[in-house]
Amino acid sequence: MSTEVIRQDDVTIRFAGDSGDGMQLTGTQFTDTTAKVGNDLATFPDFPSEIRAPAGTRAGVSGYQVHFSSSDIYTPGDAPDVLVAMNPAALIINYKDIKPGGIILVNTGSFQANDLKKAQLDSNPLEDDTLSGYRVIEEDINQRTIEALEGTELSKKDVLRCKNFYTLGMMYWLFHRPIDPTLDWLEEKFKSKPQLIDANCRALKAGYNHGELLRLFQGRYEVPKVTDAPAGTYRNIMGNQSVAIGLVAGAHLAGLKPFLGSYPITPATDILQHMSVLKNYDVITCQMEDEIAGICTAIGASYAGHLGITTTSGPGLALKSEAVGLACITELPLVIVDVQRAGPSTGLPTKVEQADLLQAVFGRNSEAPVPVLACSCPADGFDCAVEACRIATEFMTPVILLSDNYIANGAEPWLLPKMEDLKEFKVEFTTDPEGYWPYRRKENLARDWAKPGTPGMQHRIGGLEKDAATGAVSHDPENHQFMVETRLQKVLNVADTIPTPEYFGPENPDLLVVGWGSPYGAIRAATEAMQADGASLGRIQLRHIYPLPHGLEEIFASAKRILIPEMNMGQLARLLTSEMPQFKFESFHKVKGKPFMAPELKTRFAEILEEMA
């Protein structure tokens, strides 16, 4: 008897288990395979904040959520349709998020008395009414994996490490995904360890066959591929990868070799790792001993004629602040990527927050203005990184690019750009010594850039204030005032080169939603759903945070109320209020270490519209 095939437009799955259960790898493989099938997708990896929380505890739960669809989607899903729970802690933390009637697949092999105790449970949720209202499927995945790998020479501990691939096989069967891409990946990943190839391939195939033979599920689900996407070549990409590729592309569009000086920090480390393998694109990477050394080597590289880049997160940006000021006063191009995380201090290093905006705009001593950009989703990281490189080189200034760990570790399909569509912004180094002064300026107020060692181009730059022409140290009060004002005006001139954000919605909306950064997807999903029902609301998304683009006043003036959802205590609302006090900006903030969900935004939007009715 054939299994019923149920067609779905979209599905959200959450894999959850202990950090050692391989949930991130399981989710990544499911995501990569789903991208190859042709679905649109968005993901949300969720790591424990501790490097190695005690196994089986609530603090040690690792999750990976993937939302895939036959049409365009903008979020990793709200209430999952399926939860895969590998132990009691993973179950008890996540089950309330599942849709009523959703599927919960439980690994009963990890539900012994000691497992329940580690999860701080007084009773077994499989034996009480905790999971009433869900379709619970109990399976001893531990035992099934042991049976599938019977006869191997692996220890029992190593055998159980393969249970994530057994689980992945079950999900591949349930959602009509091919297993061949993962089999190929295993062959490449463990090519020097044939025992591990054999074990994991056997576990994957056994899990896949498990669904067909035992018929644990009521049917299989099929999500057709997207058919109306723009033509071109797509790849699945994570935010940190997207930024890394964009930085390399941006440097080459400027005609420069990129140099990355950085120090590993969660969640920005992957940018350093990804760029380190791009040596064939003239990329130089240097892992330094601390944050300050990272940015100082990048400044040195820019001084020598490369494009200096440094990557970090909020705590690291704080440490780099003095050196950012050095890059400001020397007026050298520098790209600083801040992948934000929840704080303060060490805070929740693997959880999401947007609380570095004010630090990026104002967080330096004295007057040290810096352009600030923010990417909105994983694929947008490429375009924003290229834009950061353009601004840095055209205006001879450090630039801060804000991402966050929701974007950094999330993934989505990315349409590869055509090389001919990428506009170059080639740097022209000054080589003629006649009439040269190091602070001679172009029309946009960017100073000339001369490589050290160019004949006749000897010059001084450094941290002490410079004479407005010669670059010699100057203590003159009028000169200092002039230089401070000039550096500010140079940064403000960036606004002349950026577009007004596109507005989406009706004319003169009752409510205008202003977004920046990763809430983009939830804001878009919520507003489009409510607009389809006739609600009078519109939205814009800011990429350029400082300086603000021209044309915002007209957009703000068209709306009766303006709301800014952000994962901080209202930082963009404060910035906009200071820049445009004639408007009232309302803040809708969230600082739970979790991203906005479209339903919670819809609820708030509806409340405001009801108040206005």
Side-chain angles (χ1 to χ4, degrees):
M1 183 178 69
S2 61
T3 304
E4 179 186 3
V5 176
I6 304 166
R7 182 180 175 126
Q8 294 275 109
D9 290 329
D10 70 313
V11 171
T12 301
I13 304 175
R14 182 180 297 175
F15 299 93
D18 191 67
S19 292
D21 287 335
M23 293 296 95
Q24 300 301 323
L25 177 58
T26 304
T28 300
Q29 284 300 308
F30 191 96
T31 297
D32 289 346
T33 298
T34 295
K36 290 181 173 69
V37 169
N39 294 127
D40 194 15
L41 60 88
T43 69
F44 176 42
D46 190 14
F47 304 92
S49 290
E50 297 178 70
I51 292 175
R52 190 67 177 98
T57 65
R58 299 189 186 201
V61 173
S62 178
Y64 191 104
Q65 183 163 308
V66 55
H67 180 198
F68 56 104
S69 174
S70 58
S71 59
D72 288 347
I73 55 174
Y74 314 112
T75 73
D78 300 312
D81 301 280
V82 179
L83 168 65
V84 177
M86 301 299 286
N87 61 29
L91 174 63
I92 207 66
I93 281 180
N94 290 285
Y95 82 93
K96 291 181 181 179
D97 295 338
I98 308 305
K99 289 179 181 177
I103 297 173
I104 299 180
L105 172 62
V106 179
N107 174 24
T108 58
S110 294
F111 272 72
Q112 306 305 313
N114 192 45
D115 298 313
L116 298 173
K117 182 179 179 181
K118 290 178 181 177
Q120 299 176 325
L121 292 171
D122 296 326
S123 62
N124 190 338
L126 302 178
E127 298 173 355
D128 54 29
D129 294 330
T130 299
L131 302 181
S132 59
Y134 303 101
R135 291 168 52 197
V136 181
I137 298 172
E138 301 181 22
E139 184 62 41
D140 190 341
I141 296 174
N142 292 0
Q143 183 59 34
R144 293 293 185 185
T145 305
I146 292 172
E147 292 170 355
L149 301 188
E150 186 177 358
T152 66
E153 297 181 2
L154 297 178
S155 66
K156 182 178 179 180
K157 182 179 180 180
D158 288 337
V159 165
L160 288 177
R161 285 177 175 166
C162 301
K163 64 179 181 247
N164 61 324
F165 281 97
Y166 191 98
T167 306
L168 179 61
M170 294 176 70
M171 291 298 104
Y172 279 164
W173 178 87
L174 183 61
F175 292 103
H176 262 276
R177 313 281 98 173
I179 65 173
D180 290 341
T182 300
L183 294 174
D184 293 341
W185 179 85
L186 286 167
E187 289 280 353
E188 177 63 26
K189 177 70 174 177
F190 298 112
K191 56 186 175 183
S192 62
K193 300 177 180 178
Q195 275 191 325
L196 294 182
I197 295 174
D198 175 65
N200 285 296
C201 287
R202 284 172 60 178
L204 181 70
K205 293 175 181 177
Y208 188 89
N209 294 331
H210 182 111
E212 185 67 49
L213 296 174
L214 298 184
R215 303 190 185 279
L216 295 174
F217 305 98
Q218 294 179 350
R220 302 179 75 184
Y221 296 87
E222 181 177 5
V223 179
K225 67 179 182 180
V226 177
T227 57
D228 57 353
T233 302
Y234 288 80
R235 61 159 287 183
N236 187 47
I237 198 161
M238 297 173 68
N240 276 343
Q241 295 173 336
S242 177
V243 168
I245 297 171
L247 292 171
V248 177
H252 282 270
L253 290 170
L256 302 174
K257 294 182 179 180
F259 174 95
L260 174 63
S262 195
Y263 178 72
I265 184 173
T266 301
T269 306
D270 282 346
I271 301 176
L272 170 61
Q273 293 174 336
H274 195 71
M275 290 184 67
S276 69
V277 300
L278 299 177
K279 297 181 180 66
N280 54 318
Y281 294 99
D282 294 324
V283 178
I284 302 172
T285 57
C286 193
Q287 179 176 321
M288 300 306 297
E289 68 271 20
D290 57 37
E291 295 284 358
I292 298 172
I295 188 171
C296 287
T297 55
I299 293 172
S302 287
Y303 176 66
H306 292 260
L307 177 57
I309 303 165
T310 191
T311 55
T312 190
S313 189
L317 184 61
L319 292 167
K320 294 179 188 289
S321 61
E322 182 182 3
V324 177
L326 175 62
C328 288
I329 199 169
T330 56
E331 299 189 51
L332 286 167
L334 176 69
V335 178
I336 305 151
V337 181
D338 174 13
V339 186
Q340 301 165 96
R341 68 191 207 187
S345 187
T346 312
L348 300 171
T350 62
K351 307 302 179 183
V352 67
E353 204 165 86
Q354 291 179 282
D356 295 351
L357 184 144
L358 293 181
Q359 179 182 206
V361 176
F362 300 116
R364 290 162 294 283
N365 63 295
S366 192
E367 301 288 341
V370 170
V372 178
L373 297 80
C375 47
S376 58
C377 58
D380 189 46
F382 175 86
D383 293 331
C384 287
V386 170
E387 173 70 347
C389 295
R390 179 193 71 82
I391 294 173
T393 53
E394 285 188 359
F395 289 86
M396 292 294 285
T397 179
V399 176
I400 295 177
L401 172 58
L402 296 175
S403 178
D404 63 49
N405 59 5
Y406 182 35
I407 294 171
N409 296 308
E412 64 181 351
W414 175 45
L415 175 61
L416 270 64
K418 297 179 180 178
M419 293 304 297
E420 58 268 24
D421 293 338
L422 298 176
K423 185 178 179 180
E424 293 185 340
F425 37 90
K426 294 287 187 182
V427 168
E428 293 184 5
F429 290 100
T430 301
T431 58
D432 185 0
E434 185 174 350
Y436 169 72
W437 296 108
Y439 284 87
R440 182 177 63 184
R441 297 184 183 275
K442 303 172 186 175
E443 186 176 349
N444 67 355
L445 297 184
R447 75 172 183 87
D448 288 339
W449 191 5
K451 285 185 182 180
T454 304
M457 309 300 291
Q458 295 89 342
H459 61 282
R460 292 183 65 179
I461 63 172
L464 289 170
E465 185 61 280
K466 303 295 173 294
D467 179 84
T470 67
V473 174
S474 173
H475 301 286
D476 179 68
E478 298 302 323
N479 179 82
H480 180 56
Q481 172 109 7
F482 176 81
M483 290 295 278
V484 167
E485 291 175 349
T486 301
R487 287 189 290 263
L488 173 60
Q489 188 57 53
K490 179 183 70 170
V491 170
L492 295 179
N493 287 346
V494 172
D496 297 333
T497 69
I498 60 180
T500 301
E502 188 173 1
Y503 167 74
F504 299 91
E507 291 186 19
N508 304 313
D510 288 340
L511 176 63
L512 172 66
V513 183
V514 180
W516 75 276
S518 63
Y520 161 78
I523 291 173
R524 179 171 179 177
T527 54
E528 288 186 356
M530 295 183 70
Q531 287 169 348
D533 292 334
S536 178
L537 81 164
R539 66 175 176 89
I540 62 171
Q541 179 78 11
L542 296 183
R543 169 180 286 181
H544 299 86
I545 307 298
Y546 189 82
L548 292 166
H550 300 310
L552 289 180
E553 293 88 347
E554 291 79 4
I555 297 175
F556 293 155
S558 71
K560 294 178 182 177
R561 289 176 68 172
I562 305 170
L563 182 71
I564 305 176
E566 48 185 332
M567 290 180 288
N568 55 49
M569 296 300 290
Q571 294 189 18
L572 180 61
R574 292 184 186 183
L575 178 62
L576 290 177
T577 298
S578 69
E579 296 288 318
M580 286 174 269
Q582 68 270 36
F583 301 110
K584 181 181 179 181
F585 299 99
E586 302 176 42
S587 176
F588 182 41
H589 58 262
K590 179 177 183 178
V591 281
K592 297 182 178 180
K594 295 182 177 181
F596 278 109
M597 297 289 112
E600 65 184 309
L601 292 179
K602 289 174 65 177
T603 298
R604 182 57 187 146
F605 300 165
E607 290 173 351
I608 293 176
L609 293 172
E610 187 175 347
E611 292 171 8
M612 300 174 66

